[in-house]
Amino acid sequence: MFTFVRRSLAAVLISAALVSVAVAQDWREQYPELTIGISSGENETDAIARTQPYADYLSAELGVPVKIVRGTDYAAVIEAMRSGHVQFASVGPAAYALARKVMGEDIAPVAVTLDKEGNLGYYSVIAVRADSPYQTLADIKGKSFAFADPNSTSGYAVPSYYLATELKTSADDYFSEVAFSGGHEQSVMALVNGTFEAVATHWRNETAGNIQNMEKKGLIPVGSTRIIWKSPVIPNTPVMMLTTLPQELQDAFKTALMAFPEKDPEGFATYSNGTSSGYVEAKHEDYLDVIAITEFNAEERRRQGN
């Protein structure tokens, strides 16, 4: 009897182990390759180069090739996720709000980065050329202005909300000319080149932000711009994933992501431009204020017939 029980127990344990291995391998059979979507404010060459160590690290950790695809804009990344061509993405909070509107609970935030000081947020700013006479928002009334992308948090949603709620106006009414530049780098380049007199972009602190990154890369002269307005803090860009993925894959991705700064510090430093100390978990509730802002802006556009 005792021998029989021991043999049966061993057989059960071996069988369970085989089932466990089979389950662990199932998601790799379903997803022999994974895709991360990005829509960075920087140019495509720099964005891919910066993001490649992230993909290489995940490929090694997850055991399948992980590739990076760059959407032409934030909406393109969301559409790629909706259609299942992209499983993971890093886009701004307002783009997450769009994704949640389109996909509901089929998408969720996983984590956000902390900056070097441990802060969880960044800011929308309005910048002008350093040699301009403009010092306040009142000074740029009636001037030309560029947003970045209609689904950008700092480059559109937050400054639009401020104009509507604090100044009781809209960009079309406040400025003489309003355009979407197509991205944060394009906005600042157009500002420095004189195409626009003011632009909206993102800023984290005195050493990190779109303008500082462009200065470091030599895209604009150091000190060629000046900030005249800064928003309240905005929650950091979330890493998102499809919740329709196999749970084993979701768990493996989250574990690998959170360990990225420790396991591959050099790759993480490249990916984060050396401005982050690591990740913390994120949840949907962190973005309720941003979702409310995007809904407010959408209602304002409907009301104005845009």
mmCIF file of all heavy atoms in Angstrom, residues 61-102:
data_model
loop_
_atom_site.group_PDB
_atom_site.id
_atom_site.type_symbol
_atom_site.label_atom_id
_atom_site.label_comp_id
_atom_site.label_asym_id
_atom_site.label_seq_id
_atom_site.Cartn_x
_atom_site.Cartn_y
_atom_site.Cartn_z
ATOM 1 N N GLU A 61 14.733 37.905 -21.826
ATOM 2 C CA GLU A 61 13.996 37.507 -20.625
ATOM 3 C C GLU A 61 12.781 36.642 -20.942
ATOM 4 O O GLU A 61 12.466 35.700 -20.198
ATOM 5 C CB GLU A 61 13.552 38.755 -19.851
ATOM 6 C CG GLU A 61 14.675 39.517 -19.188
ATOM 7 C CD GLU A 61 15.347 38.725 -18.080
ATOM 8 O OE1 GLU A 61 14.642 38.217 -17.197
ATOM 9 O OE2 GLU A 61 16.585 38.599 -18.121
ATOM 10 N N LEU A 62 12.087 36.951 -22.022
ATOM 11 C CA LEU A 62 10.842 36.246 -22.347
ATOM 12 C C LEU A 62 11.068 35.040 -23.244
ATOM 13 O O LEU A 62 10.189 34.186 -23.367
ATOM 14 C CB LEU A 62 9.854 37.211 -23.000
ATOM 15 C CG LEU A 62 9.415 38.399 -22.132
ATOM 16 C CD1 LEU A 62 8.498 39.327 -22.909
ATOM 17 C CD2 LEU A 62 8.719 37.920 -20.858
ATOM 18 N N GLY A 63 12.209 34.974 -23.902
ATOM 19 C CA GLY A 63 12.515 33.804 -24.710
ATOM 20 C C GLY A 63 11.902 33.792 -26.089
ATOM 21 O O GLY A 63 11.882 32.748 -26.758
ATOM 22 N N VAL A 64 11.380 34.921 -26.542
ATOM 23 C CA VAL A 64 10.888 35.069 -27.912
ATOM 24 C C VAL A 64 11.357 36.417 -28.434
ATOM 25 O O VAL A 64 11.619 37.344 -27.652
ATOM 26 C CB VAL A 64 9.340 34.995 -27.995
ATOM 27 C CG1 VAL A 64 8.840 33.617 -27.559
ATOM 28 C CG2 VAL A 64 8.692 36.092 -27.154
ATOM 29 N N PRO A 65 11.492 36.575 -29.751
ATOM 30 C CA PRO A 65 11.897 37.877 -30.288
ATOM 31 C C PRO A 65 10.867 38.960 -29.950
ATOM 32 O O PRO A 65 9.661 38.733 -30.055
ATOM 33 C CB PRO A 65 11.957 37.638 -31.805
ATOM 34 C CG PRO A 65 12.064 36.155 -31.956
ATOM 35 C CD PRO A 65 11.328 35.562 -30.803
ATOM 36 N N VAL A 66 11.362 40.100 -29.530
ATOM 37 C CA VAL A 66 10.511 41.259 -29.258
ATOM 38 C C VAL A 66 10.971 42.379 -30.181
ATOM 39 O O VAL A 66 12.146 42.737 -30.202
ATOM 40 C CB VAL A 66 10.626 41.717 -27.788
ATOM 41 C CG1 VAL A 66 9.781 42.966 -27.552
ATOM 42 C CG2 VAL A 66 10.189 40.594 -26.850
ATOM 43 N N LYS A 67 10.050 42.905 -30.980
ATOM 44 C CA LYS A 67 10.414 43.966 -31.913
ATOM 45 C C LYS A 67 9.695 45.257 -31.562
ATOM 46 O O LYS A 67 8.653 45.254 -30.887
ATOM 47 C CB LYS A 67 10.098 43.561 -33.356
ATOM 48 C CG LYS A 67 8.620 43.416 -33.677
ATOM 49 C CD LYS A 67 8.406 43.086 -35.145
ATOM 50 C CE LYS A 67 6.917 43.015 -35.476
ATOM 51 N NZ LYS A 67 6.682 42.728 -36.909
ATOM 52 N N ILE A 68 10.256 46.353 -32.040
ATOM 53 C CA ILE A 68 9.699 47.683 -31.813
ATOM 54 C C ILE A 68 9.068 48.178 -33.109
ATOM 55 O O ILE A 68 9.662 48.069 -34.189
ATOM 56 C CB ILE A 68 10.794 48.681 -31.384
ATOM 57 C CG1 ILE A 68 11.500 48.198 -30.116
ATOM 58 C CG2 ILE A 68 10.213 50.079 -31.192
ATOM 59 C CD1 ILE A 68 10.645 48.181 -28.887
ATOM 60 N N VAL A 69 7.857 48.704 -33.022
ATOM 61 C CA VAL A 69 7.247 49.387 -34.162
ATOM 62 C C VAL A 69 6.856 50.788 -33.720
ATOM 63 O O VAL A 69 6.374 50.980 -32.604
ATOM 64 C CB VAL A 69 6.022 48.641 -34.733
ATOM 65 C CG1 VAL A 69 6.426 47.292 -35.301
ATOM 66 C CG2 VAL A 69 4.937 48.465 -33.675
ATOM 67 N N ARG A 70 7.085 51.751 -34.581
ATOM 68 C CA ARG A 70 6.767 53.138 -34.249
ATOM 69 C C ARG A 70 5.559 53.590 -35.040
ATOM 70 O O ARG A 70 5.554 53.552 -36.270
ATOM 71 C CB ARG A 70 7.966 54.051 -34.561
ATOM 72 C CG ARG A 70 7.774 55.497 -34.126
ATOM 73 C CD ARG A 70 9.049 56.286 -34.371
ATOM 74 N NE ARG A 70 8.958 57.638 -33.873
ATOM 75 C CZ ARG A 70 8.546 58.685 -34.594
ATOM 76 N NH1 ARG A 70 8.180 58.509 -35.845
ATOM 77 N NH2 ARG A 70 8.506 59.894 -34.061
ATOM 78 N N GLY A 71 4.516 53.988 -34.328
ATOM 79 C CA GLY A 71 3.325 54.490 -34.990
ATOM 80 C C GLY A 71 3.544 55.899 -35.501
ATOM 81 O O GLY A 71 4.354 56.657 -34.956
ATOM 82 N N THR A 72 2.832 56.266 -36.550
ATOM 83 C CA THR A 72 2.937 57.622 -37.075
ATOM 84 C C THR A 72 2.424 58.643 -36.084
ATOM 85 O O THR A 72 2.829 59.806 -36.107
ATOM 86 C CB THR A 72 2.151 57.749 -38.396
ATOM 87 O OG1 THR A 72 0.800 57.291 -38.181
ATOM 88 C CG2 THR A 72 2.796 56.898 -39.485
ATOM 89 N N ASP A 73 1.519 58.208 -35.210
ATOM 90 C CA ASP A 73 1.028 59.056 -34.124
ATOM 91 C C ASP A 73 0.472 58.151 -33.029
ATOM 92 O O ASP A 73 0.505 56.926 -33.142
ATOM 93 C CB ASP A 73 -0.025 60.061 -34.623
ATOM 94 C CG ASP A 73 -1.193 59.382 -35.333
ATOM 95 O OD1 ASP A 73 -1.468 58.188 -35.062
ATOM 96 O OD2 ASP A 73 -1.839 60.044 -36.179
ATOM 97 N N TYR A 74 -0.025 58.763 -31.962
ATOM 98 C CA TYR A 74 -0.520 57.979 -30.834
ATOM 99 C C TYR A 74 -1.710 57.113 -31.225
ATOM 100 O O TYR A 74 -1.818 55.959 -30.806
ATOM 101 C CB TYR A 74 -0.928 58.913 -29.689
ATOM 102 C CG TYR A 74 0.213 59.706 -29.108
ATOM 103 C CD1 TYR A 74 0.371 61.056 -29.396
ATOM 104 C CD2 TYR A 74 1.133 59.111 -28.265
ATOM 105 C CE1 TYR A 74 1.419 61.794 -28.868
ATOM 106 C CE2 TYR A 74 2.195 59.828 -27.718
ATOM 107 C CZ TYR A 74 2.326 61.169 -28.028
ATOM 108 O OH TYR A 74 3.365 61.888 -27.505
ATOM 109 N N ALA A 75 -2.611 57.658 -32.038
ATOM 110 C CA ALA A 75 -3.799 56.912 -32.437
ATOM 111 C C ALA A 75 -3.431 55.658 -33.214
ATOM 112 O O ALA A 75 -4.102 54.629 -33.100
ATOM 113 C CB ALA A 75 -4.728 57.803 -33.264
ATOM 114 N N ALA A 76 -2.365 55.718 -34.009
ATOM 115 C CA ALA A 76 -1.938 54.559 -34.790
ATOM 116 C C ALA A 76 -1.492 53.422 -33.883
ATOM 117 O O ALA A 76 -1.757 52.243 -34.161
ATOM 118 C CB ALA A 76 -0.810 54.955 -35.740
ATOM 119 N N VAL A 77 -0.819 53.763 -32.779
ATOM 120 C CA VAL A 77 -0.394 52.740 -31.830
ATOM 121 C C VAL A 77 -1.604 52.086 -31.176
ATOM 122 O O VAL A 77 -1.668 50.855 -31.031
ATOM 123 C CB VAL A 77 0.543 53.333 -30.764
ATOM 124 C CG1 VAL A 77 0.893 52.280 -29.702
ATOM 125 C CG2 VAL A 77 1.819 53.865 -31.401
ATOM 126 N N ILE A 78 -2.570 52.900 -30.798
ATOM 127 C CA ILE A 78 -3.782 52.364 -30.171
ATOM 128 C C ILE A 78 -4.533 51.456 -31.137
ATOM 129 O O ILE A 78 -5.014 50.382 -30.762
ATOM 130 C CB ILE A 78 -4.704 53.508 -29.701
ATOM 131 C CG1 ILE A 78 -3.969 54.414 -28.703
ATOM 132 C CG2 ILE A 78 -5.975 52.942 -29.072
ATOM 133 C CD1 ILE A 78 -3.309 53.709 -27.564
ATOM 134 N N GLU A 79 -4.632 51.850 -32.390
ATOM 135 C CA GLU A 79 -5.309 51.023 -33.387
ATOM 136 C C GLU A 79 -4.569 49.704 -33.569
ATOM 137 O O GLU A 79 -5.198 48.641 -33.719
ATOM 138 C CB GLU A 79 -5.403 51.767 -34.716
ATOM 139 C CG GLU A 79 -5.997 50.947 -35.863
ATOM 140 C CD GLU A 79 -7.375 50.392 -35.563
ATOM 141 O OE1 GLU A 79 -8.126 50.990 -34.760
ATOM 142 O OE2 GLU A 79 -7.715 49.340 -36.151
ATOM 143 N N ALA A 80 -3.239 49.742 -33.548
ATOM 144 C CA ALA A 80 -2.455 48.517 -33.680
ATOM 145 C C ALA A 80 -2.698 47.578 -32.497
ATOM 146 O O ALA A 80 -2.740 46.354 -32.658
ATOM 147 C CB ALA A 80 -0.978 48.841 -33.805
ATOM 148 N N MET A 81 -2.867 48.149 -31.314
ATOM 149 C CA MET A 81 -3.189 47.324 -30.149
ATOM 150 C C MET A 81 -4.598 46.764 -30.262
ATOM 151 O O MET A 81 -4.838 45.590 -29.962
ATOM 152 C CB MET A 81 -3.041 48.131 -28.858
ATOM 153 C CG MET A 81 -1.633 48.569 -28.544
ATOM 154 S SD MET A 81 -1.419 49.133 -26.821
ATOM 155 C CE MET A 81 -1.270 47.560 -25.951
ATOM 156 N N ARG A 82 -5.513 47.594 -30.707
ATOM 157 C CA ARG A 82 -6.909 47.134 -30.840
ATOM 158 C C ARG A 82 -7.013 45.965 -31.807
ATOM 159 O O ARG A 82 -7.781 45.024 -31.595
ATOM 160 C CB ARG A 82 -7.793 48.287 -31.311
ATOM 161 C CG ARG A 82 -9.295 47.967 -31.277
ATOM 162 C CD ARG A 82 -10.104 48.990 -32.053
ATOM 163 N NE ARG A 82 -9.782 48.933 -33.467
ATOM 164 C CZ ARG A 82 -10.251 48.010 -34.306
ATOM 165 N NH1 ARG A 82 -11.059 47.050 -33.864
ATOM 166 N NH2 ARG A 82 -9.910 48.025 -35.575
ATOM 167 N N SER A 83 -6.225 46.003 -32.867
ATOM 168 C CA SER A 83 -6.261 44.940 -33.871
ATOM 169 C C SER A 83 -5.394 43.743 -33.498
ATOM 170 O O SER A 83 -5.380 42.733 -34.213
ATOM 171 C CB SER A 83 -5.807 45.492 -35.226
ATOM 172 O OG SER A 83 -4.466 45.942 -35.161
ATOM 173 N N GLY A 84 -4.655 43.849 -32.381
ATOM 174 C CA GLY A 84 -3.852 42.733 -31.911
ATOM 175 C C GLY A 84 -2.469 42.644 -32.507
ATOM 176 O O GLY A 84 -1.723 41.700 -32.213
ATOM 177 N N HIS A 85 -2.084 43.617 -33.328
ATOM 178 C CA HIS A 85 -0.754 43.591 -33.938
ATOM 179 C C HIS A 85 0.334 44.033 -32.959
ATOM 180 O O HIS A 85 1.512 43.745 -33.168
ATOM 181 C CB HIS A 85 -0.723 44.477 -35.182
ATOM 182 C CG HIS A 85 -1.638 44.008 -36.274
ATOM 183 N ND1 HIS A 85 -1.594 42.741 -36.794
ATOM 184 C CD2 HIS A 85 -2.653 44.639 -36.929
ATOM 185 C CE1 HIS A 85 -2.524 42.604 -37.731
ATOM 186 N NE2 HIS A 85 -3.173 43.738 -37.824
ATOM 187 N N VAL A 86 -0.053 44.755 -31.930
ATOM 188 C CA VAL A 86 0.861 45.216 -30.889
ATOM 189 C C VAL A 86 0.326 44.739 -29.548
ATOM 190 O O VAL A 86 -0.872 44.889 -29.269
ATOM 191 C CB VAL A 86 0.993 46.755 -30.917
ATOM 192 C CG1 VAL A 86 1.640 47.270 -29.644
ATOM 193 C CG2 VAL A 86 1.803 47.201 -32.125
ATOM 194 N N GLN A 87 1.193 44.153 -28.730
ATOM 195 C CA GLN A 87 0.752 43.615 -27.439
ATOM 196 C C GLN A 87 1.058 44.558 -26.273
ATOM 197 O O GLN A 87 0.338 44.569 -25.278
ATOM 198 C CB GLN A 87 1.430 42.269 -27.163
ATOM 199 C CG GLN A 87 1.007 41.156 -28.102
ATOM 200 C CD GLN A 87 1.733 41.212 -29.435
ATOM 201 O OE1 GLN A 87 2.954 41.395 -29.491
ATOM 202 N NE2 GLN A 87 0.993 41.059 -30.530
ATOM 203 N N PHE A 88 2.115 45.335 -26.405
ATOM 204 C CA PHE A 88 2.541 46.237 -25.340
ATOM 205 C C PHE A 88 2.855 47.598 -25.954
ATOM 206 O O PHE A 88 3.228 47.687 -27.123
ATOM 207 C CB PHE A 88 3.788 45.699 -24.629
ATOM 208 C CG PHE A 88 3.671 44.267 -24.201
ATOM 209 C CD1 PHE A 88 4.240 43.254 -24.960
ATOM 210 C CD2 PHE A 88 2.971 43.925 -23.059
ATOM 211 C CE1 PHE A 88 4.121 41.926 -24.587
ATOM 212 C CE2 PHE A 88 2.852 42.599 -22.676
ATOM 213 C CZ PHE A 88 3.427 41.589 -23.438
ATOM 214 N N ALA A 89 2.739 48.664 -25.165
ATOM 215 C CA ALA A 89 3.020 49.994 -25.708
ATOM 216 C C ALA A 89 3.328 50.967 -24.589
ATOM 217 O O ALA A 89 2.922 50.766 -23.434
ATOM 218 C CB ALA A 89 1.847 50.511 -26.528
ATOM 219 N N SER A 90 4.058 52.004 -24.954
ATOM 220 C CA SER A 90 4.298 53.132 -24.057
ATOM 221 C C SER A 90 3.862 54.392 -24.788
ATOM 222 O O SER A 90 4.508 54.816 -25.745
ATOM 223 C CB SER A 90 5.783 53.223 -23.681
ATOM 224 O OG SER A 90 6.177 52.119 -22.909
ATOM 225 N N VAL A 91 2.750 54.937 -24.367
ATOM 226 C CA VAL A 91 2.237 56.183 -24.937
ATOM 227 C C VAL A 91 1.778 57.069 -23.779
ATOM 228 O O VAL A 91 1.657 56.606 -22.649
ATOM 229 C CB VAL A 91 1.081 55.940 -25.928
ATOM 230 C CG1 VAL A 91 1.569 55.211 -27.172
ATOM 231 C CG2 VAL A 91 -0.050 55.145 -25.278
ATOM 232 N N GLY A 92 1.518 58.331 -24.056
ATOM 233 C CA GLY A 92 1.176 59.265 -23.000
ATOM 234 C C GLY A 92 -0.147 58.963 -22.324
ATOM 235 O O GLY A 92 -0.962 58.180 -22.821
ATOM 236 N N PRO A 93 -0.391 59.606 -21.172
ATOM 237 C CA PRO A 93 -1.639 59.390 -20.435
ATOM 238 C C PRO A 93 -2.900 59.672 -21.247
ATOM 239 O O PRO A 93 -3.885 58.946 -21.132
ATOM 240 C CB PRO A 93 -1.508 60.358 -19.256
ATOM 241 C CG PRO A 93 -0.041 60.493 -19.048
ATOM 242 C CD PRO A 93 0.559 60.454 -20.420
ATOM 243 N N ALA A 94 -2.894 60.724 -22.072
ATOM 244 C CA ALA A 94 -4.076 61.015 -22.879
ATOM 245 C C ALA A 94 -4.304 59.936 -23.924
ATOM 246 O O ALA A 94 -5.449 59.608 -24.259
ATOM 247 C CB ALA A 94 -3.943 62.381 -23.553
ATOM 248 N N ALA A 95 -3.227 59.382 -24.462
ATOM 249 C CA ALA A 95 -3.366 58.278 -25.412
ATOM 250 C C ALA A 95 -3.891 57.031 -24.699
ATOM 251 O O ALA A 95 -4.655 56.249 -25.272
ATOM 252 C CB ALA A 95 -2.035 57.992 -26.085
ATOM 253 N N TYR A 96 -3.474 56.842 -23.433
ATOM 254 C CA TYR A 96 -4.062 55.753 -22.655
ATOM 255 C C TYR A 96 -5.560 55.970 -22.486
ATOM 256 O O TYR A 96 -6.354 55.022 -22.575
ATOM 257 C CB TYR A 96 -3.394 55.627 -21.283
ATOM 258 C CG TYR A 96 -4.157 54.699 -20.368
ATOM 259 C CD1 TYR A 96 -4.179 53.335 -20.614
ATOM 260 C CD2 TYR A 96 -4.914 55.195 -19.301
ATOM 261 C CE1 TYR A 96 -4.921 52.474 -19.803
ATOM 262 C CE2 TYR A 96 -5.646 54.345 -18.484
ATOM 263 C CZ TYR A 96 -5.644 52.982 -18.744
ATOM 264 O OH TYR A 96 -6.390 52.135 -17.953
ATOM 265 N N ALA A 97 -5.960 57.212 -22.247
ATOM 266 C CA ALA A 97 -7.388 57.516 -22.118
ATOM 267 C C ALA A 97 -8.126 57.147 -23.401
ATOM 268 O O ALA A 97 -9.232 56.588 -23.361
ATOM 269 C CB ALA A 97 -7.584 59.000 -21.797
ATOM 270 N N LEU A 98 -7.508 57.434 -24.553
ATOM 271 C CA LEU A 98 -8.112 57.056 -25.832
ATOM 272 C C LEU A 98 -8.205 55.542 -25.948
ATOM 273 O O LEU A 98 -9.237 54.997 -26.365
ATOM 274 C CB LEU A 98 -7.275 57.619 -26.980
ATOM 275 C CG LEU A 98 -7.652 57.134 -28.391
ATOM 276 C CD1 LEU A 98 -9.050 57.590 -28.765
ATOM 277 C CD2 LEU A 98 -6.627 57.617 -29.412
ATOM 278 N N ALA A 99 -7.130 54.855 -25.569
ATOM 279 C CA ALA A 99 -7.118 53.396 -25.645
ATOM 280 C C ALA A 99 -8.215 52.801 -24.774
ATOM 281 O O ALA A 99 -8.907 51.854 -25.175
ATOM 282 C CB ALA A 99 -5.751 52.864 -25.219
ATOM 283 N N ARG A 100 -8.373 53.354 -23.593
ATOM 284 C CA ARG A 100 -9.397 52.840 -22.680
ATOM 285 C C ARG A 100 -10.800 53.080 -23.252
ATOM 286 O O ARG A 100 -11.689 52.234 -23.118
ATOM 287 C CB ARG A 100 -9.246 53.534 -21.327
ATOM 288 C CG ARG A 100 -10.036 52.868 -20.216
ATOM 289 C CD ARG A 100 -9.367 51.602 -19.726
ATOM 290 N NE ARG A 100 -10.122 51.045 -18.609
ATOM 291 C CZ ARG A 100 -9.657 50.114 -17.794
ATOM 292 N NH1 ARG A 100 -8.447 49.619 -17.976
ATOM 293 N NH2 ARG A 100 -10.397 49.662 -16.794
ATOM 294 N N LYS A 101 -10.978 54.219 -23.915
ATOM 295 C CA LYS A 101 -12.271 54.520 -24.526
ATOM 296 C C LYS A 101 -12.573 53.554 -25.658
ATOM 297 O O LYS A 101 -13.709 53.112 -25.832
ATOM 298 C CB LYS A 101 -12.256 55.959 -25.054
ATOM 299 C CG LYS A 101 -13.564 56.393 -25.690
ATOM 300 C CD LYS A 101 -13.494 57.859 -26.122
ATOM 301 C CE LYS A 101 -14.817 58.308 -26.738
ATOM 302 N NZ LYS A 101 -14.756 59.729 -27.156
ATOM 303 N N VAL A 102 -11.560 53.218 -26.430
ATOM 304 C CA VAL A 102 -11.736 52.349 -27.592
ATOM 305 C C VAL A 102 -11.809 50.876 -27.192
ATOM 306 O O VAL A 102 -12.600 50.109 -27.750
ATOM 307 C CB VAL A 102 -10.567 52.557 -28.586
ATOM 308 C CG1 VAL A 102 -10.596 51.519 -29.699
ATOM 309 C CG2 VAL A 102 -10.608 53.957 -29.167
#
